């Protein structure tokens, strides 16, 4: 071989490496993403399974037909289908971002040590789960761990703590979010079980401040209003190492993201988390408002909203739609290709 072709080969190899390095984080083309969204949307549009949550009376009144899906890639491109402007309350999805904030303030170990990072195998508001290990050996995705995480946010007053929480969520979503007052009032009037859980977590020494104040701030955080696009941007911020890919703001340290995703993978869909991970491989979080968000690390965030829930409290359509879209786009981080 003469020197010239060898140089040409090297140049070609270098160019290939550069092209691969410059390839967008999601290997899928915009057309692929749009096609996957459209297919999942029409496949489940008329599905009538499940029912709105009604243990919080205001949630029973939400339009059951809201159905939208959004994907936001780590290079900041937004793809949507269906209704992505109607808002629902964020509910338990908020738990992810409060936990993330506690990790920012005190490090991931503070979460692991105070409420644990293991699945409970029980429903999200289980008192048995608290009793089993005196409030330890659980996680921040179920109510006892989540109310405890809220109590750990730094601030002298409830208002100061609330400002930090709402500011954090807004940074993740890339726009100022606000509370749905009707949902807040409805849950505050009916949250005696969560108050009891907060008291128990206080009695076992996990909550160190006023437990009823923690429960009230938690109730407010659950009432924050979001649409499917907001949730997808929040998920994409986690997928992008804590930097919001739409606004460019570093919202949390990249080094804390793996611990956030680990707890989501373990317990994000409650007692159905194993089934979910088996189907999609994605760290995710559901809320009884009907939203679910999921993270394909380094690739994209995805979210769907559809209020009717299954028996575990997870949106029926959102689970199916996210699984289909992510699997079509190669989103599963546990699916390496053989070399
Ligand atoms: O504390 C509650 O019961 C609600 N604010 C949140 C529960 C929830 O979203 C569970 N999700 N699947």
């Amino acid at each position: 071989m003469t020197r010239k072709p060898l140089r040409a080969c090297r140049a070609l190899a270098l160019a290939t490496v550069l092209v691969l390095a410059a390839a967008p984080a999601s290997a899928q083309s915009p057309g692929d993403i749009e096609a996957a969204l459209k297919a999942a949307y029409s496949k489940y549009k008329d599905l009538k399974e499940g029912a709105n949550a009604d243990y919080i009376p205001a949630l029973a009144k939400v339009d059951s037909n809201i159905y939208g899906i959004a994907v936001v890639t780590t290079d900041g491109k937004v793809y949507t289908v269906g209704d992505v402007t109607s808002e629902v309350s964020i509910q338990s999805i908020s738990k992810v971002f409060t936990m993330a904030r506690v990790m920012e303030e005190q490090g991931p170990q503070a979460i692991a040590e105070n409420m644990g990072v293991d699945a409970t195998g029980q429903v999200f508001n289980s008192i048995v789960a608290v009793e089993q290990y005196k409030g330890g050996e659980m996680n921040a995705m179920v109510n006892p761990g989540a109310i405890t995480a809220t109590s750990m946010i730094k601030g002298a007053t409830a208002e100061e703590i609330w400002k930090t929480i709402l500011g954090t969520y807004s940074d993740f979503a890339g726009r100022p979010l606000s509370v749905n007052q009707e949902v807040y009032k409805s849950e505050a009037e009916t949250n005696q079980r969560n108050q009891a859980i907060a008291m128990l977590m206080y009695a076992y020494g996990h909550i160190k401040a006023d437990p009823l104040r923690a429960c009230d701030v938690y109730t407010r955080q659950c009432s924050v209003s979001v649409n499917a696009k907001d949730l997808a941007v929040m998920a994409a911020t986690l997928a992008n190492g804590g930097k919001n890919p739409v606004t460019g703001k570093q919202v949390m340290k990249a080094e804390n993201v793996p611990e956030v995703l680990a707890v989501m993978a373990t317990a994000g869909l409650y007692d159905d988390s194993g089934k979910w991970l088996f189907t999609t491989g994605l760290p995710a979080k559901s809320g009884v408002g009907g939203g679910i968000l999921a993270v394909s690390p380094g690739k994209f965030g995805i979210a769907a909203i559809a209020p009717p829930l299954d028996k575990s409290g997870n949106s029926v359509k959102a689970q199916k739609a996210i699984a289909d879209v992510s699997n079509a786009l190669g989103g599963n981080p546990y699916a390496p290709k053989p070399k």
Side-chain angles (χ1 to χ4, degrees):
M1 216 186 245
T2 64
R3 286 174 64 94
K4 216 173 160 195
L6 186 62
R7 259 202 231 123
C9 278
R10 281 209 198 107
L12 185 64
L14 183 65
T16 311
V17 169
L18 288 176
V19 166
L20 285 177
S26 164
Q28 305 296 330
S29 71
D32 292 335
I33 300 175
E34 276 155 15
L37 280 170
K38 271 193 199 133
Y41 181 77
S42 40
K43 187 166 167 193
Y44 302 116
K45 195 161 103 45
D46 299 318
L47 189 70
K48 293 282 179 247
E49 277 170 42
N52 281 30
D54 58 6
Y55 73 98
I56 299 170
L59 300 188
K61 293 197 263 163
V62 174
D63 179 0
S64 307
N65 295 314
I66 295 171
Y67 176 41
I69 321 168
V71 167
V72 177
T73 57
T74 49
D75 48 10
K77 299 210 171 56
V78 178
Y79 302 86
T80 64
V81 65
D83 181 353
V84 291
T85 54
S86 288
E87 297 184 4
V88 298
S89 50
I90 190 168
Q91 296 298 339
S92 282
I93 301 170
S94 68
K95 294 167 176 169
V96 171
F97 303 97
T98 295
M99 177 182 71
R101 176 69 202 185
V102 173
M103 289 187 184
E104 285 300 284
E105 293 180 357
Q106 305 181 39
Q109 271 319 108
I111 290 287
E113 283 159 17
N114 198 14
M115 72 284 281
V117 290
D118 269 323
T120 63
Q122 306 281 345
V123 292
F124 59 83
N125 56 4
S126 169
I127 285 172
V128 171
V130 178
E131 286 301 309
Q132 194 175 10
Y133 297 110
K134 298 189 175 1
E137 294 291 320
M138 56 167 72
N139 64 77
M141 301 295 103
V142 290
N143 292 10
I147 299 169
T148 304
T150 303
S151 80
M152 293 167 77
I153 300 277
K154 297 242 181 315
T157 61
E159 274 322 302
E160 224 177 283
I161 295 166
W162 173 243
K163 222 174 131 201
T164 299
I165 290 176
L166 190 61
T168 302
Y169 296 3
S170 300
D171 281 347
F172 271 100
R175 73 170 182 110
L177 299 177
S178 58
V179 165
N180 178 325
Q181 291 297 340
E182 191 195 342
V183 172
Y184 167 66
K185 194 168 170 288
S186 177
E187 182 164 351
E189 281 167 2
T190 53
N191 69 353
Q192 290 76 19
R193 188 180 179 92
N194 281 345
Q195 293 180 37
I197 286 172
M199 285 294 201
L200 270 178
M201 292 303 275
Y202 180 79
Y204 285 129
H206 301 282
I207 293 182
K208 294 172 179 78
D210 175 353
L212 293 184
R213 182 180 82 175
C215 185
D216 183 56
V217 175
Y218 163 83
T219 305
R220 261 198 263 179
Q221 79 177 43
C222 288
S223 311
V224 167
S225 227
V226 285
N227 60 39
K229 187 191 151 204
D230 294 327
L231 292 178
V233 177
M234 294 171 100
T237 301
L238 292 171
N240 191 38
K243 183 175 179 180
N244 185 317
V246 177
T247 65
K249 182 168 180 174
Q250 190 75 42
V251 177
M252 68 177 291
K253 292 186 207 90
E255 70 196 54
N256 291 339
V257 170
E259 283 88 348
V260 171
L261 298 183
V263 181
M264 291 168 72
T266 305
L269 268 72
Y270 307 110
D271 30 335
D272 276 354
S273 297
K275 285 189 205 110
W276 171 260
L277 205 59
F278 191 80
T279 311
T280 65
L282 298 183
K285 187 73 202 81
S286 62
V288 289
I292 299 182
L293 59 70
V295 178
S296 179
K299 293 185 175 169
F300 57 80
I302 178 167
I305 290 180
L309 311 177
D310 65 15
K311 287 200 170 58
S312 300
N314 301 316
S315 165
V316 177
K317 277 187 202 166
Q319 287 179 80
K320 290 181 188 293
I322 292 175
D324 275 23
V325 174
S326 174
N327 289 339
L329 300 180
N332 188 335
Y334 298 122
K337 298 245 176 340
K339 293 224 162 45

